Amino acid sequence: MIGDIIRQKRKEKGISLSELSRMTGVSKSYLSYIERGMKRNPSIDVIKRIFHTLHIPISILASEEENRNIRELIN
């Protein structure tokens, strides 16, 4: 899940939601929604800004989508 990846990287880097909000221009509440899985389809622009700031390769999105599809097929 994208939110889990973002939360993990943000915490690894010691960045608060408020700091990430200032760094990306994405509101703190919106970031929180993404991290908690309440906003499941954020725009690619928002994801790019967050990933760029946290140094997360954008290519991880393809593997996450593939993994989700596999899990859905199995269950």
Side-chain angles (χ1 to χ4, degrees):
M1 193 167 169
I2 293 172
D4 295 330
I5 295 166
I6 293 169
R7 179 184 293 125
Q8 178 184 352
K9 284 293 188 181
R10 178 178 62 77
K11 289 188 175 199
E12 282 176 11
K13 295 180 178 295
I15 299 172
S16 70
L17 276 175
S18 296
E19 290 173 305
L20 186 58
S21 175
R22 283 192 301 275
M23 296 165 80
T24 60
V26 178
S27 76
K28 181 179 171 181
S29 61
Y30 195 76
L31 289 169
S32 177
Y33 286 147
I34 293 170
E35 284 191 1
R36 292 184 287 146
M38 296 175 70
K39 181 65 177 170
R40 296 187 182 200
N41 294 315
S43 73
I44 193 66
D45 178 56
V46 167
I47 293 301
K48 282 181 181 179
R49 286 189 275 160
I50 296 168
F51 276 35
H52 176 76
T53 301
L54 295 175
H55 300 85
I56 301 170
I58 202 77
S59 61
I60 200 168
L61 292 177
S63 60
E64 279 298 307
E65 181 67 26
E66 290 169 6
N67 290 337
R68 183 173 40 230
N69 289 339
I70 290 168
R71 283 192 302 267
E72 288 175 2
L73 288 173
I74 292 172
N75 294 327

